[in-house]
Amino acid sequence: MLTNSFTGETAELIIDGKGYRLPIIMGTEGERAIDIRLLRAQSGYVTLDSGYMNTGSCLSEITYLDGEKGILQYRGYSVEDLAEQCSFVEVAYLLVNGSLPTRDELKNFSHMLGKYALLHEDMVHFFDRFPPNAPPMSILSSMVNSLCTFYPEMVNNPLEKIDKMTARLISKVRTVAAFSYKKSMGHPLVYPRHDLSYCANFLNMMFDSPVNPYEVREEVVRALNKLLILHGDHEQNCSTSTVRLVGSARVNLYASISAGISALWGPMHGGANQAVVEMLEEIYLNGGDYKRYIERAKDSKDPFRLSGFGHRVYKTFDPRSKIIKQVCDEMLNALKLSDPLLDIAKEIERVVLKDEYFIERHLYPNVDFYSGIIYRAIGIPKNMYTVMFALGRLPGWIAHWKEMWDDPNWRIGRPRQIYTGPKLRPFVPIDQRSSA
Ligand code: ACO
């Protein structure tokens, strides 16, 4: 149960000479916030915070991050420890349930993931109706929304069946992702197998073929586990806030997650991993002159930005990007691969970290800067990179939806606005109107 941590202290806001005392609350890691929930009722004022730069939308026990110090923790565990020691399935369990699984709990959860991996065959036919070039993120969002039509019993009292829904979603989203790839290639579908782990199963569904059996390599499975863990949750980012906001209207989990997938699609958010590789390819094909692109990114008249740099919250290294860079090196070495895009990426990072423009604005590589190069090495096509992000983020979205649903202080999400349009004016009949 989420508890308000009132410190007993207050902040005083003075408007037109009148003082309003606002309670100060504190999180477990010492974060302090001014509780303005009663401000409008008491003073008639609302607050304005476009882009939610400074607004806490909820209390949450799932993820702690400190953007100034580059700290990221899930349920109190550092992401570095989790990436080093756990499988993605363990971390998914941790995010959704709040504690690391025991051996028995992990066995049971893994068993459920195996049990629910198949899609209803009628759903499989949906894939035949999408155009061949349909973006996989669009397919993923539609298919996840459709799940509630096949599993409607999940909708009425969701928290009673949350374990089942969680396993269904985490397992089936992986199958949807792999099937959408196979369909886009015009290749036969490869069904999930009970004997393979979560990540190995995904890789096998993606790349196995009747003419070319796929060898699941341990190095690739390890890299994929780490990538998914690092994407597991990131507190109130755009897609997670979307899941919470949509879910706050008391809509079912599948519809809420489908909305989150749509939010993640954007190039300013999860779509950045694809944008990074496209940018690196363009630089490579244009002779490798990355410095020209860095100069463009600094030009205020040019809308171009260096994809994979900057973050709303991190004003130092994104801790995930450090691990991902290491995973990238390890995996390419293990597979004895080299990639000119990785060389360009490292050069860009080296130059940018010494450049005043980026230093002044605290722009560091983010989680997306190296992840696309790993996906490329695995053989995942560019338009699937953001789908991979969604696979990793899914347990985080589910955890937030569950926490929001269970919160005794739950209210439907409904921001205010400051109206700046025309004042009330007389209605003009159509034949008396002139164009503006
Ligand atoms: N390249 C060049 N300049 C940049 C970049 C960049 N990647 N990112 C920010 N800036 C500049 C802005 O132009 C602005 O400069 P100004 O003060 O001279 O106007 C300043 O840095 C601050 O930028 P904002 O857009 O105000 O920062 P905000 O916190 O709103 O945006 C964002 C964060 C969207 C991530 C931004 O850094 C960006 O567009 N990065 C590239 C896209 C990207 O990699 N997105 C993935 C983010 S991680 C994730 O969502 C999983």
Side-chain angles (χ1 to χ4, degrees), residues 51 53 231 234 237-238 264 266-273 275-276 293-294 296-300 302-315 318 320 357-358 360-369 389 393:
M53 304 280 286
H231 286 90
H234 214 236
N237 56 81
C238 178
L264 187 73
M268 292 289 154
H269 191 15
N273 51 17
V276 170
Y293 287 79
I294 296 177
R296 279 188 62 196
K298 289 156 55 175
D299 181 354
S300 59
D302 189 331
F304 174 76
R305 283 185 169 195
L306 269 189
S307 291
F309 274 83
H311 197 275
R312 169 60 61 80
V313 183
Y314 291 118
K315 298 305 162 201
D318 179 335
R320 302 167 300 175
Y357 173 94
F358 293 88
E360 268 171 25
R361 291 167 179 75
H362 308 287
L363 301 171
Y364 292 84
N366 59 43
V367 66
D368 292 317
F369 193 56
F389 192 151
R393 184 53 55 85

Side-chain angles (χ1 to χ4, degrees), residues 158 239-260 397-398 400-407 410-413:
S239 52
T240 304
S241 300
T242 301
V243 170
R244 277 186 175 260
L245 188 61
V246 172
S248 79
R250 283 316 202 220
V251 72
N252 68 74
L253 178 64
Y254 303 118
S256 307
I257 300 284
S258 163
W397 287 333
I398 297 171
H400 282 276
W401 185 91
K402 183 180 164 193
E403 187 177 71
M404 178 274 310
W405 198 281
D406 208 18
D407 183 352
W410 158 83
R411 308 291 298 269
I412 186 169

Side-chain angles (χ1 to χ4, degrees), residues 13-130:
L13 176 67
I14 299 174
I15 309 173
D16 296 334
K18 186 164 177 214
Y20 300 91
R21 295 231 154 252
L22 303 166
I24 293 181
I25 60 168
M26 193 163 74
T28 43
E29 291 281 353
E31 285 169 297
R32 291 164 77 83
I34 299 171
D35 183 344
I36 56 157
R37 278 175 286 190
L38 294 178
L39 180 65
R40 184 171 172 277
Q42 290 171 353
S43 69
Y45 279 77
V46 297
T47 53
L48 175 64
D49 185 18
S50 314
Y52 310 117
M53 304 280 286
N54 198 47
T55 293
S57 61
C58 58
L59 300 172
S60 179
E61 295 176 349
I62 302 166
T63 288
Y64 172 68
L65 82 81
D66 181 329
E68 266 74 37
K69 296 192 185 132
I71 293 173
L72 177 61
Q73 298 165 359
Y74 302 158
R75 302 284 191 183
Y77 297 102
S78 84
V79 77
E80 288 84 357
D81 282 348
L82 294 171
E84 195 50 46
Q85 324 241 13
C86 289
S87 68
F88 172 64
V89 171
E90 271 176 280
V91 173
Y93 184 99
L94 167 73
L95 283 166
V96 177
N97 296 296
S99 57
L100 282 167
T102 61
R103 274 192 196 287
D104 280 350
E105 285 165 341
L106 184 60
K107 201 169 147 203
N108 186 31
F109 186 46
S110 302
H111 176 75
M112 284 170 87
L113 292 176
K115 182 171 159 194
Y116 294 126
L118 282 174
L119 292 181
H120 193 294
E121 276 300 305
D122 288 348
M123 267 194 97
V124 175
H125 295 306
F126 288 5
F127 288 104
D128 298 331
R129 297 289 171 264
F130 287 108

